[in-house]
Amino acid sequence: MAPAHVVHARGLTRAYRRGAREVEALRGVDLDISPGELVVIMGPSGGGKSSLLNLLGGLDRPDGGTLTVAGVNLTTSSQGELDAFRRQHVGFVFQFFNLIGTLDAAENVALAHVARGEGWSSARAQARETLEELGLKDRVDHRPAEMSGGEQQRVAIARAVAARPDLLLADEPTGDVDAATTGAIMELLATLNRDRGMTIVAVTHDPTLAQYASRLLTLSDGRFVG
Amino acid sequence: MTLLRFAIRDMSADWRRSLTHIAAIVPIVAAYLILNAVAGGLRDEAVAVEAQNIVLLSPNALDPAAGRLAPEVLDLVWEVGGSDVASATPMIFRPIRMDDRVVQLRAAPRSTWDSIHDLTLLSGSWPDNRDEIVITEGIAIATDWNVGTQAEIFGTTFTVSALVRAPGTKFASVWMDFERADTLFEGQSGFQIVTVEPAEGADHFDLLSRLDLASGGVFSVYFESDLAEQQSARKGAAENLAFVATVVGVAALAFGGFNLAAIALTERHRDLGIARSVGFSRGSIGAVALLRAAVLAAIGFVIGSLSALLALSATSATTVRSFVFQADIQPRAWILGAAITIGVSAIGTLVAFRTTTRRPVRSLLETG
């Protein structure tokens, strides 16, 4: 039976030490996200958005509280279990695309399959299919430096969804592209959400993204407000 | 296998960085192997204790070839030694260039070659005309010369008439008749060594003492066997120097390989973060990094080895002052070099890996 919530978090806390100072990034966050939601989290810089995203993606562990994503208890998972969790359940989209510059688009996307233990040839073939589905057929053999910012971000999205994750996490996905491209990127995410039923959590400063959200949350000073 | 293919794909895609990595390893490997070969060649040169002749050399000469004795020295030997001296023969001893190779020439009266200098005929025949020479086994090994080979010395063509065996420090030398050499060098060379053969029944030690007392600092007096030992010791010092150089080469190889691997990984901190974010485990990333470093190190080692072989084959004999020897790369040098090159690259990768993969994904969020 599929879990009722893709994300189920209670009382999440996370603090970081910056020099002699301890910064409380999250101060008891509760969050439930159902399958198929497109949740946009907004809020000021330093409000805890990226920290929450890191926890949801299994890149970091909470100091307190409980967190279950796609049925996996991330509070108690070992490092190996977190690696496996990332391989099987989540995809990441970053603000600065974060493609490997020496690999072409198909190879960048293929990484998601190789990480799951698939052979290189099979991974590359599947990557080409994904890129074609996302309208990047002509950019399959291009390296990041040969593509525009919007195209790079779409390749990054293709990589994130290539392995059909339960949850797509996007950290400022339009933060490094122009206004026209912002619309195209968000349309793509909305299409993935609508057509594939993909659950998406996007963190952003951009208020125009709110129109794409099925739910809008504001995180400030480590807590959801409003 | 997929990880290896991924590593190879990554290397070929990032070919500039890969080439730089290899190019940095090649000269270190080549230098290490050449130094090792030189050290081995010095170590392996045969040294045997020679007959109890007495030799006179120019004093303070680091190399016998650098000295020059006055003709009056021969008169002095007879005057001091008297009936205790059976023979006193001059020898021209100098490095010469033959067909672009530097070899050690010894020129002594033909009649003394077998009786006093202990040359043993192995093949061919003793020279019967003035433009014939003989070569020793050491020269034959270091070159591809043999009986019948023609070579040019000072603009004159000589023919090798015989291959001979010579003991100790004469192991690798070319022999010519004294008069012929003196004519060839137009009397410019003088002579560098006088070999005194004690008469039968003479007290060798007493004769040596008397010659030493009479030398007046003009020449030094040794038993030939002692000289062989001294030269052996000098070669030992050279060997030690080569060994030190080899150790430095090994250290350079180790440190260089370590740093190259570490830098390569540190420079790709972001790429590691990307790999972690898509689900690669630390182990998988480590394996790819190790494979990458090992393959690059192996390629660097192979090219470095070929470069060393090429350099050594260009000069079939190595000359250190007037000593000629063959510098060969020993199997253990290959094995040690390969192990160090690949091993330190792996260690460098692992050490850098430990520091660069602690929070790799943070770099994706912070630096873009």
Side-chain angles (χ1 to χ4, degrees), chain B residues 9 18 50 61 84 107 142 167 183 217 224 239 262 269 299 310 324 359:
Chain B
R9 175 69 193 104
S18 301
E50 300 172 357
D84 286 340
T183 306
E224 199 168 14
E239 182 200 325
H269 190 198
I299 293 171
L310 202 64
V324 182
R359 303 192 74 85

Side-chain angles (χ1 to χ4, degrees), chain A residues 134-154:
Chain A
L134 299 191
L136 289 162
K137 188 178 179 181
D138 297 336
R139 291 289 180 264
V140 165
D141 299 319
H142 288 211
R143 292 193 183 183
E146 299 164 341
M147 292 185 279
S148 68
E151 287 170 334
Q152 288 185 58
Q153 192 61 302
R154 281 156 68 197

Side-chain angles (χ1 to χ4, degrees), chain B residues 110-132:
Chain B
R110 165 65 196 92
S111 59
T112 65
W113 287 9
D114 46 352
S115 60
I116 294 176
H117 297 293
D118 294 324
L119 302 191
T120 308
L121 192 64
L122 296 177
S123 63
S125 58
W126 296 114
D128 57 11
N129 74 57
R130 41 189 280 114
D131 290 337
E132 288 185 336

